[in-house]
């Protein structure tokens, strides 16, 4: 319970109508879950305008309304707070409601098209190994020390986020690691959150459905760095050509990591094989269990963040050398019968798919064929569909195009768009099988010979296939095992 005026202390309002000493029992952005004493925040969304639910929220017990447009008729005994941007204001109000929990933690956020989940999960595991109680906010799951909480988004909405952070503080966590999606910056899910550090991994093609242009997508990610305080570090991958743009206007202390040029954290790959990466980082040579150049970048980011948070470099590297891959990220399953190698990877962007396939090419034996099973999500950036199909063809011996969460779209239409990217020369090695299970079985049992590699890309850790809004049980790893007869 909080007093409304305390929540509005540093907020610029247009008008406040009604009693500002009213108590606020909870902050709610969805009218359907309002309870007695809630503050209902009316947000203009991508589907509907939350302002149309104000009356309904009051009917369910809301006593204060945060909005951009005042309703023509105002109810009695209700306090209306009118602001210019309800979504931005919500960030500050939610942080205040939960006692600004982020400021009580060493919170590190990472943004970038790829590598966020891998980096935060590994940072979380590393800091636990170093003896700290930690929190994790990620696409795969959220965690408060040992307690696992299901995750619905890569970055939760402002209320859920601050609630989670407050629970972390309550549980005695000192550190927390979270993914910062571009959606979350634009929608102010992280507004009012204090970061001790921020990481930029890379930016490539994705989410153009939401941001409209690549420029807007860059601006969204940059917004995260623009808002950092002086006390934070901004750790940037300078091998990505947009790296320096990210920190053009930041107040944070700028640090860099690179495989190619001078940087705060300078790395070099000594060798990269099926057994892992041998790297030199900051002049120290060390072996890691992760595979692939893209993971060399993730490892430098983790090392950089840990040392910038004050940890001892040698101890950090020793602990890091034992870290295993995150679920569904280059996860390998080998058939007991004939040693076919299944690789489940969350590559759902052109860049990720290319990286994973290049890594496989680099570490595989000459006699191993690569068979790729891949699809593209429905109600998501359609422009990546032909590009991903083309990449799959250019770096695999055989390709099966299949479904990956068609959501509300027609799966055959998504597949037709993917097929447009297949060069005529590759028609013969490409097959389309709408049903993902059938596609994996066909790859394993009809196409693959003993020892071949089957990359199943796009779903990683996911345990469902979303068809027409219904989530059916589906796990690439389990289907692969079934097809292998393991
Ligand atoms: C496109 C997008 O980001 N949508 C998010 C956004 O919803 P929206 O703007 O569409 O909301 P809306 O449905 O138009 O509703 C507007 C407002 O009316 C309210 N409402 C609605 C109906 C009602 O009866 N009563 C009511 O009060 C809603 O609660 C909302 O506050 O705000 C919602 C609440 O925070 C999110 O759940 C929702 O995520 C949807 C489910 C989603 O799929 N988001 C994906 C694209 C996403 O956020 N992905 C990123 C990045 C992924 C990555 O690359 O890692 C992520 O961070 O997860
Ligand atoms: N640093 C990296 N650079 C490029 N590709 C990467 C990198 N790290 C991982 N990948 C590839 O991208 C896929 C997704 O990785 P990860 O889940 O860590 O990214 P993410 O940024 O969390 O993605 P999302 O936006 O969907 O949450 C991996 O399965 C792998 O194929
Ligand atoms: N965070 C990403 C995940 C995509 C995963 C892929 N399996 C799909 O469903 O498109 C998104 O929501 O766009
Ligand atoms: Mg993620």
């Amino acid at each position: 319970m909080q007093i409304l005026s305390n929540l509005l202390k540093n907020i610029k309002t247009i008008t406040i109508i009604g009693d500002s000493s009213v108590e606020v029992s909870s902050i709610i952005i969805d009218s359907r879950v309002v309870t007695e004493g809630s503050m209902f925040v009316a947000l203009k969304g991508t589907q509907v305008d939350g302002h149309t639910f104000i009356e309904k929220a009051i009917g369910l017990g809301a006593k204060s309304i945060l909005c951009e447009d005042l309703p023509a008729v105002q109810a009695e005994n209700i306090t209306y707070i009118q602001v210019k941007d309800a979504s931005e204001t919500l960030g500050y109000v939610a942080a205040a409601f939960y006692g600004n929990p982020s400021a009580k933690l060493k919170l590190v956020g990472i943004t970038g098209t790829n590598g966020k989940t891998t980096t935060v999960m590994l940072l979380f595991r590393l800091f636990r190994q170093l003896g700290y109680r930690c929190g994790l906010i990620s696409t795969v799951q959220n965690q408060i020390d040992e307690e696992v909480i299901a995750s619905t988004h890569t970055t939760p909405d402002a209320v859920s986020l601050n609630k989670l952070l407050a629970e972390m503080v309550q549980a005695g966590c000192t550190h927390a690691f979270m993914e910062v999606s571009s959606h979350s910056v634009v929608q102010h899910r992280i507004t009012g959150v204090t970061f001790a550090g921020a990481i930029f991994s890379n930016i490539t093609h994705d989410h153009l459905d939401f941001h409209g242009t690549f420029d807007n997508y860059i601006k969204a990610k940059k917004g995260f760095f623009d808002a950092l305080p002086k006390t934070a570090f901004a750790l940037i991958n300078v091998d990505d050509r947009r790296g320096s743009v990210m920190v053009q206007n930041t107040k944070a202390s700028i640090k860099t990591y690179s495989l190619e040029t001078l940087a705060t954290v300078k790395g070099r790959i000594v060798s990269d094989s099926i057994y892992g990466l041998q790297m030199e980082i900051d002049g120290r040579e060390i072996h890691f269990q992760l595979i692939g150049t893209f993971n060399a970048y993730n490892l430098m980011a983790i090392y950089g963040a840990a040392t910038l948070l004050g940890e001892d470099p040698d101890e950090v590297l020793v602990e890091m050398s034992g870290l295993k891959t995150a679920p569904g990220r280059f996860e390998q399953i080998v058939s007991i019968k004939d040693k076919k190698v299944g690789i489940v990877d969350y590559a759902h962007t052109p860049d990720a798919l290319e990286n994973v396939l290049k890594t496989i090419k680099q570490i595989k034996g000459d006699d191993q064929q690569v068979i790729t099973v891949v699809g593209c999500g429905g109600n998501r950036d359609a422009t990546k569909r032909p590009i991903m199909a083309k990449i799959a063809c250019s770096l695999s011996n055989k390709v099966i195009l299949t479904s990956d969460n068609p959501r509300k779209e027609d799966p055959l239409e998504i597949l037709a768009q993917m097929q447009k990217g297949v060069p005529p020369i590759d028609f013969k090695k490409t097959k389309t099988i709408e049903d993902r299970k059938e596609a994996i079985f066909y790859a394993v049992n009809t196409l693959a010979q003993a020892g071949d590699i089957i990359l199943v890309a796009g779903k990683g850790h996911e345990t469902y296939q979303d068809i027409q809004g219904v989530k059916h049980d589906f796990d690439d790893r389990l289907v692969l095992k079934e097809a292998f007869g393991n």
Side-chain angles (χ1 to χ4, degrees), residues 5 63 67 162 449:
S5 55
K63 289 285 175 282
C67 57
N162 281 283
Q449 307 291 315

Side-chain angles (χ1 to χ4, degrees), residues 113 115-118 139 179 202 298 329 345-346 348 352 355-356:
T113 308
K116 301 185 295 297
T117 299
T118 309
T139 316
E179 291 186 51
N202 48 60
N298 296 336
R329 273 71 183 162
D345 190 88
Y346 196 46
H348 56 77
N355 286 330
V356 165

Side-chain angles (χ1 to χ4, degrees), residues 14-77:
I14 299 173
T15 8
I16 301 180
I17 300 173
D19 179 7
S20 55
S21 65
V22 66
E23 285 193 328
V24 176
S25 62
S26 62
I27 300 175
I28 302 286
I29 58 172
D30 183 342
S31 61
R32 289 163 289 198
V33 291
V34 162
T35 53
E36 189 57 35
S38 296
M39 169 195 275
F40 175 66
V41 185
L43 297 174
K44 290 180 179 167
T46 61
Q47 307 300 313
V48 288
D49 183 351
H51 288 78
T52 53
F53 305 107
I54 291 179
E55 238 179 85
K56 194 177 162 217
I58 294 171
L60 287 170
K63 289 285 175 282
S64 49
I65 307 290
L66 180 68
C67 57
E68 292 173 14
D69 308 321
L70 289 172
V73 186
Q74 287 133 34
E76 262 179 49
N77 299 324

Side-chain angles (χ1 to χ4, degrees), residues 116 139 153-154 179 181 183 206-207 209 346-349 375-381 384 404-407 436 457-462 464-466:
K116 301 185 295 297
T139 316
H153 287 76
T154 288
E179 291 186 51
S181 67
H183 295 72
D206 204 9
H207 300 310
D209 54 327
Y346 196 46
H348 56 77
T349 65
C376 288
N379 302 102
R380 292 287 186 274
D381 191 343
K384 66 181 176 182
D404 177 348
N405 294 330
R407 301 194 175 86
R436 194 170 176 99
K459 294 185 74 66
H461 64 284
E462 289 177 0
Y464 58 83
Q465 180 81 307
D466 184 334

Side-chain angles (χ1 to χ4, degrees), residues 119-150:
T119 306
V120 289
M121 284 198 108
L122 267 48
L123 269 170
F124 173 77
R125 288 186 198 154
L126 169 68
F127 273 77
R128 290 195 72 203
Q129 281 169 214
L130 291 170
Y132 298 103
R133 268 176 183 269
C134 300
L136 168 73
I137 297 176
S138 83
T139 316
V140 176
Q141 64 194 34
N142 302 323
Q143 229 172 303
I144 302 173
D145 202 36
E146 273 177 13
E147 186 195 348
V148 175
I149 298 158

